[in-house]
Amino acid sequence: MPGDNARTKGFELKQIGVVHSSFRTREQVRQSNKDENVAEVEIFAEYADGLDDIEGFSHIIVLCWMHKSDFHSLKVRPLYHPDKLRGIFSTRHPDRPNPIAVTVLELLKRRKNVLKVKGIDMLDETPVLDIKPYTRRDKKEGVEFGWLSDKKYP
Amino acid sequence: MPGDNARTKGFELKQIGVVHSSFRTREQVRQSNKDENVAEVEIFAEYADGLDDIEGFSHIIVLCWMHKSDFHSLKVRPLYHPDKLRGIFSTRHPDRPNPIAVTVLELLKRRKNVLKVKGIDMLDETPVLDIKPYTRRDKKEGVEFGWLSDKKYP
């Protein structure tokens, strides 16, 4: 298994906020209706000015550090489709070499440093690393979904 | 400016690959036709097995560490629309608290541990952190683009 003797650099991450959701376990997330989950993303007060101009966007990209993840193999059984082993980079499985989640959420409201969002699948207390606006370059047409083509989710 | 006394955690990132593109400077990227740029994303050999099953996807999400970025302020002038200061989290400006780029690219071909991709706007030698498949949850409808609504790009 790679990881221990892989190249490691001095990339330093800062936690800029935290997710407040109702999920304590992956199983609770799995059983929920992901698209409908409303939750809050709190950005720490010292970063709040960075949220200015975000209100006009209907969707945002939230980057989180999946603090409960545990990288163990390059081949995994996807959480929603565990019938077959898949290369980790062709899945969204949390147990990856760098446990960074990328999630597109509907932005319902900004209240100072708190974003009310819809569509969340993150555990409560998940550290937030970045917020980005969802732009035209993120919305692709003519997409083929590979081994997920005949699956309903994700 | 936040950062120095902000919360910092022991999140450890591993470089899993590197971008090979023709861009040496941000200005070269800016002047290019981003959607047409073809380049290669090399995943280090020890992670190559994690790419299995990726071939069927027409688009992938590539996470990179923007190694030339320099966070200086929560308010920035967007590279393509410098007329007004904007909150950093409502822009895709590289000089952000955590300089992680999220880019959706067209996957043209996989050759073992090398992905040939289209649509790149990364500098040559940019470290790669993660590859994810672009799924239905990333493709949103009914999107509003906020202050970017009347801009052509991005």
Side-chain angles (χ1 to χ4, degrees):
Chain A
M1 191 187 99
D4 296 335
N5 48 9
R7 283 171 236 205
T8 305
K9 287 229 178 171
F11 304 140
E12 192 185 305
L13 290 174
K14 305 177 191 91
Q15 182 178 354
I16 67 157
V18 63
V19 170
H20 300 292
S21 79
S22 59
F23 303 121
R24 292 279 167 184
T25 66
R26 280 185 189 172
E27 186 54 26
Q28 287 174 355
V29 175
R30 214 176 68 82
Q31 292 184 359
S32 74
N33 183 345
K34 268 70 57 184
D35 292 339
E36 298 301 319
N37 297 334
V38 172
E40 288 187 340
V41 174
E42 175 194 348
I43 301 301
F44 298 143
E46 63 264 37
Y47 291 103
D49 288 348
L51 290 173
D52 288 355
D53 306 295
I54 198 81
E55 296 88 341
F57 291 88
S58 61
H59 293 76
I60 56 174
I61 302 175
V62 179
L63 270 64
C64 290
W65 184 264
M66 295 182 280
H67 60 307
K68 299 285 188 189
S69 88
D70 180 22
F71 172 52
H72 47 86
S73 173
L74 290 170
K75 296 281 197 161
V76 296
R77 292 187 183 278
L79 296 182
Y80 295 86
H81 311 288
D83 54 306
K84 212 179 146 189
L85 283 170
R86 305 280 181 184
I88 184 82
F89 301 126
S90 73
T91 79
R92 300 294 277 257
H93 199 291
D95 296 336
R96 44 207 313 122
N98 291 302
I100 299 173
V102 171
T103 316
V104 184
L105 297 173
E106 191 179 339
L107 176 61
L108 300 177
K109 196 177 189 176
R110 173 193 173 187
R111 202 179 61 242
K112 288 181 188 169
N113 64 322
V114 178
L115 303 175
K116 192 174 175 187
V117 292
K118 192 173 172 184
I120 214 157
D121 62 354
M122 288 92 123
L123 297 175
D124 191 39
E125 297 185 6
T126 298
V128 176
L129 301 176
D130 200 5
I131 304 283
K132 300 179 193 287
Y134 184 81
T135 75
R136 291 179 187 84
R137 272 171 68 83
D138 304 309
K139 188 175 181 317
K140 300 298 183 188
E141 303 301 329
V143 179
E144 286 169 36
F145 297 109
W147 69 266
L148 283 167
S149 294
D150 62 345
K151 316 281 194 247
K152 279 196 177 168
Y153 185 89
Chain B
M1 192 186 99
D4 296 336
N5 47 9
R7 284 171 237 206
T8 305
K9 288 229 180 173
F11 305 139
E12 191 184 306
L13 290 175
K14 306 177 191 89
Q15 182 179 355
I16 66 156
V18 63
V19 170
H20 300 292
S21 78
S22 59
F23 304 121
R24 292 280 166 185
T25 66
R26 281 186 190 171
E27 186 55 24
Q28 288 174 355
V29 175
R30 214 176 68 81
Q31 292 184 0
S32 75
N33 182 345
K34 268 70 58 185
D35 292 340
E36 298 302 321
N37 296 334
V38 172
E40 288 188 339
V41 174
E42 175 194 346
I43 301 302
F44 298 142
E46 62 264 37
Y47 291 103
D49 288 348
L51 290 174
D52 288 354
D53 307 295
I54 198 80
E55 296 90 339
F57 291 88
S58 60
H59 293 76
I60 56 174
I61 302 175
V62 178
L63 270 63
C64 290
W65 184 265
M66 294 181 281
H67 60 307
K68 298 287 188 187
S69 89
D70 180 23
F71 173 51
H72 48 86
S73 173
L74 290 170
K75 297 280 196 159
V76 296
R77 292 187 182 279
L79 295 183
Y80 295 86
H81 312 288
D83 54 305
K84 213 181 146 186
L85 284 168
R86 305 280 180 183
I88 185 81
F89 301 126
S90 73
T91 78
R92 301 293 278 257
H93 199 291
D95 296 336
R96 44 207 313 124
N98 292 302
I100 299 172
V102 171
T103 315
V104 184
L105 297 173
E106 191 180 339
L107 177 60
L108 300 178
K109 197 177 189 176
R110 173 193 173 188
R111 201 178 63 242
K112 290 182 186 167
N113 63 323
V114 177
L115 303 175
K116 193 174 175 187
V117 293
K118 191 173 173 184
I120 215 157
D121 62 353
M122 288 91 125
L123 297 176
D124 191 40
E125 296 185 6
T126 298
V128 176
L129 301 176
D130 200 6
I131 304 283
K132 299 179 194 285
Y134 183 82
T135 75
R136 292 180 186 84
R137 272 171 68 83
D138 305 308
K139 188 176 181 316
K140 299 297 182 188
E141 303 301 329
V143 179
E144 286 169 35
F145 297 110
W147 69 266
L148 284 168
S149 294
D150 63 346
K151 316 281 195 248
K152 279 195 177 168
Y153 185 88

